Amino acid sequence: MELSELRREMDRIDDSLVSLFTQRMDVAAQIADYKKANSLPISAPLREREKLQDVAKKAGTEMENYTRVLYSMLFELSRSYQSKRCGLHSTLYKQIVESINSTPKLFPQAPMVACQGVEGAYSQIACERIFKNPFILYFKNFEGVFTAIEQGLCQYGVLPIENSTAGSVKKVYDLMIRHNFSIVRTFRLKIDHNLLAKSGTRLEDIREIYSHEQAIRQCSAFLETLPNVKVTAVENTAVAAEMVSGSQRKDVAALCSHACEELYGLSCLRPSVQDEGSNRTRFICISKKLEIYPGADKTSIMMVLNHKPGALYKVLARMYVLGINVTKLESRPIPEREFEFMFYFDLETSIYSEEFVQLMCELEELCDEFKYLGSYSEVV
């Protein structure tokens, strides 16, 4: 047969498939009505397993796996359609609605904010871009920021979560598993790392450079040009500048923000030494209670999935069915739980959309543990 003839035959089959699919969804709707009238759950795992085994057997050896994938997607579509038809609203969704109604329309201007590091840290710069006149309390490490929020010492906290060059800040992700908080806003900060040292120091005099591990990774190409220089990771880029300023040595330097030059009385040996000119770090602004401000079009969630083939696929398939874009997927091991992982998702969807409502009402049934981290807008 000619290609054109084969395509016409394919079109004929597709017409039949579309007709049969709509018929199947009509029956799914009737099943949903019955389940709602009789207070039955939407999900029927035993029925699905039996059905998968049956259709895979009927398809034959060569088509077995393809058929399983096809019907797994059909099941996701059916469950999603049935949930929508039943109009189920979870406890979580009710909490989200309450938060939308109770959160002030104007984002806070001068709150107490927790940041990691010292004056001149990138977290401070991000904080002053997010808030108009923040009162900042500094903490030695990221855990101190989370604890300050949980204990009510500060209303908000600002933390780096990922960098366009060096990737995720894994320490923050690990702490997100252990602490309770909500994300209320995110911000992308342009990062310029400068090599600062005491006045009169030359580049060839430098024998050791201090900075945060993320900044070190972001400047790897420049550091490779200094093979005889020791690179030491410290807890913060501004702390690195403070160490150089307070040191008696004349052969040390720091990779840090331009703001640290004036703050700590240092001189710039080399400006903008990061590998990428478009280097940006994304910061999250967290709070103790759930706050959802107008315009929220991004959502973050965390979940633990069961150890079964296709568990992650089912979650992603449900998001795909609803047309929700996943902008980030991160997995981190859960402390003291062997081979168990927490999955972190950033989603792009308006909180006012029907798709968002449906997803929030359906996700808990797809995983062993589920945590809604908040919906927010991002400042650039």
Side-chain angles (χ1 to χ4, degrees):
M1 293 176 70
E2 294 294 326
L3 180 60
S4 59
E5 293 178 292
L6 290 169
R7 283 176 171 168
R8 280 196 296 272
E9 180 64 11
M10 184 71 81
D11 289 342
R12 184 190 65 77
I13 295 170
D14 285 340
D15 288 343
S16 298
L17 283 174
V18 170
S19 177
L20 290 170
F21 174 71
T22 56
Q23 291 178 46
R24 191 183 197 283
M25 294 299 274
D26 284 342
V27 175
Q30 295 175 48
I31 293 173
D33 293 342
Y34 180 89
K35 288 178 176 178
K36 183 177 182 180
N38 293 275
S39 301
L40 296 174
I42 295 296
S43 182
L46 178 60
R47 163 71 176 168
E48 289 181 13
R49 285 196 297 270
E50 291 174 345
K51 189 68 176 176
L52 278 178
Q53 291 173 1
D54 180 53
V55 295
K57 184 178 179 181
K58 289 175 179 176
T61 306
E62 187 175 358
M63 290 290 112
E64 179 179 351
N65 288 334
Y66 296 102
T67 305
R68 285 182 181 276
V69 172
L70 171 63
Y71 270 80
S72 292
M73 177 59 79
L74 282 175
F75 294 159
E76 290 302 320
L77 292 169
S78 293
R79 278 196 299 268
S80 181
Y81 186 45
Q82 288 183 10
S83 295
K84 179 180 178 181
R85 189 174 181 88
C86 289
L88 301 177
H89 282 177
S90 65
T91 303
L92 170 61
Y93 178 67
K94 291 174 184 175
Q95 291 173 351
I96 292 171
V97 171
E98 288 174 5
S99 178
I100 292 172
N101 293 332
S102 63
T103 300
K105 303 306 177 189
L106 181 65
F107 198 71
Q109 302 293 296
M112 183 85 74
V113 186
C115 288
Q116 185 263 345
V118 295
E119 195 79 9
Y122 286 109
S123 290
Q124 176 217 336
I125 298 171
C127 180
E128 291 179 343
R129 301 282 181 85
I130 295 171
F131 301 99
K132 190 174 181 180
N133 295 301
F135 183 84
I136 302 174
L137 285 184
Y138 293 101
F139 294 85
K140 185 176 181 180
N141 50 43
F142 295 138
E143 182 153 25
V145 176
F146 280 104
T147 302
I149 299 305
E150 285 181 330
Q151 294 180 352
L153 183 60
C154 293
Q155 188 178 354
Y156 299 101
V158 171
L159 294 154
I161 195 170
E162 63 178 320
N163 177 265
S164 56
T165 302
S168 300
V169 184
K170 298 190 182 301
K171 286 183 180 178
V172 174
Y173 278 101
D174 290 339
L175 288 166
M176 289 168 75
I177 297 173
R178 292 160 38 192
H179 292 275
N180 295 313
F181 64 96
S182 292
I183 300 175
V184 299
R185 185 148 293 185
T186 56
F187 175 73
R188 291 182 186 269
L189 177 68
K190 174 74 166 61
I191 301 294
D192 280 306
H193 293 305
N194 304 274
L195 186 68
L196 304 185
K198 288 186 174 182
S199 181
T201 303
R202 301 171 302 168
L203 182 62
E204 52 267 34
D205 297 331
I206 302 301
R207 291 294 173 265
E208 187 171 10
I209 294 174
Y210 305 128
S211 196
H212 187 267
E213 57 186 0
Q214 280 269 329
I216 292 168
R217 285 202 292 272
Q218 292 162 29
C219 302
S220 58
F222 170 72
L223 293 174
E224 285 173 6
T225 67
L226 307 172
N228 298 319
V229 175
K230 179 183 177 183
V231 180
T232 302
V234 296
E235 58 262 33
N236 188 273
T237 54
V239 167
E242 190 178 51
M243 290 171 63
V244 171
S245 177
S247 174
Q248 298 301 312
R249 295 169 60 182
K250 298 287 188 179
D251 61 352
V252 291
L255 286 171
C256 51
S257 71
H258 178 71
C260 290
E261 184 176 354
E262 184 178 349
L263 275 170
Y264 297 102
L266 301 175
S267 298
C268 183
L269 298 182
R270 290 291 185 277
S272 300
V273 295
Q274 65 274 5
D275 296 345
E276 301 290 338
S278 59
N279 186 25
R280 292 183 181 275
T281 293
R282 182 170 176 246
F283 289 82
I284 56 172
C285 178
I286 63 173
S287 68
K288 183 176 183 178
K289 66 175 185 175
L290 181 61
E291 298 177 7
I292 302 177
Y293 290 90
D297 58 359
K298 299 181 186 302
T299 292
S300 295
I301 57 176
M302 297 178 79
M303 63 178 69
V304 178
L305 303 175
N306 58 43
H307 285 288
K308 292 182 180 178
L312 180 58
Y313 164 80
K314 286 184 178 181
V315 173
L316 294 173
R318 187 67 62 93
M319 294 173 183
Y320 174 71
V321 165
L322 293 172
I324 292 175
N325 187 32
V326 179
T327 58
K328 185 174 181 64
L329 172 56
E330 180 86 18
S331 66
R332 297 298 300 153
I334 301 175
E336 300 174 0
R337 288 163 65 172
E338 286 191 5
F339 304 109
E340 286 198 56
F341 293 83
M342 180 70 80
F343 290 89
Y344 174 97
F345 296 81
D346 280 338
L347 311 175
E348 220 170 33
T349 175
S350 170
I351 54 166
Y352 309 108
S353 69
E354 185 178 314
E355 292 77 17
F356 172 80
V357 175
Q358 195 167 342
L359 183 66
M360 292 302 104
C361 294
E362 294 177 10
L363 271 180
E364 288 184 89
E365 71 177 35
L366 297 176
C367 52
D368 291 346
E369 298 175 34
F370 174 74
K371 185 177 181 181
Y372 170 73
L373 297 180
S375 296
Y376 49 88
S377 57
E378 184 162 280
V379 182
V380 225

